[in-house]
Amino acid sequence: HRRGFAVRVLERREGLSTASRASTLHPPTLEAFDDLGIFAPLRDGGVRVDRLLWRRVETGAAAILDLGVLNGETRFP
C-alpha cells in the first residue's frame, strides 16, 4: 500500500484472526528481504532454526524438515 499498490485482504472468517499465522520466513523470502535491504535490521529479532517440525492437526501426522539440505543452495539455509 505504501508503494501505491491497491491491497485487499481476504479472510474466510467474519473477522481477522488474532492467532499467529506467519511464524517462519523461508529462504526465498529472506533472499528477497536481503535484496531489498531490509533483512539486516530484522536479523537480530529472529531465531535461526535448522529444522522444523510439521504436524497435521487433524491426524497427528508429523515430519521433521531438515533445512540443512539447503546448504549451498541458498544464502539462507
Side-chain angles (χ1 to χ4, degrees), residues 19-59:
S20 174
R21 293 175 28 176
S23 63
T24 306
L25 296 174
H26 297 276
T29 303
L30 297 176
E31 289 179 355
F33 283 4
D34 193 40
D35 292 344
L36 292 169
I38 61 172
F39 176 69
L42 300 174
R43 178 178 284 200
D44 291 340
V47 176
R48 181 182 169 152
V49 296
D50 296 319
R51 59 192 168 131
L52 300 173
L53 172 64
W54 175 87
R55 184 177 307 275
R56 184 146 189 112
V57 175
E58 297 87 359
T59 65

Side-chain angles (χ1 to χ4, degrees), residues 1-8:
H1 177 75
R2 282 182 255 163
R3 293 181 180 246
F5 292 97
V7 176
R8 181 176 296 190

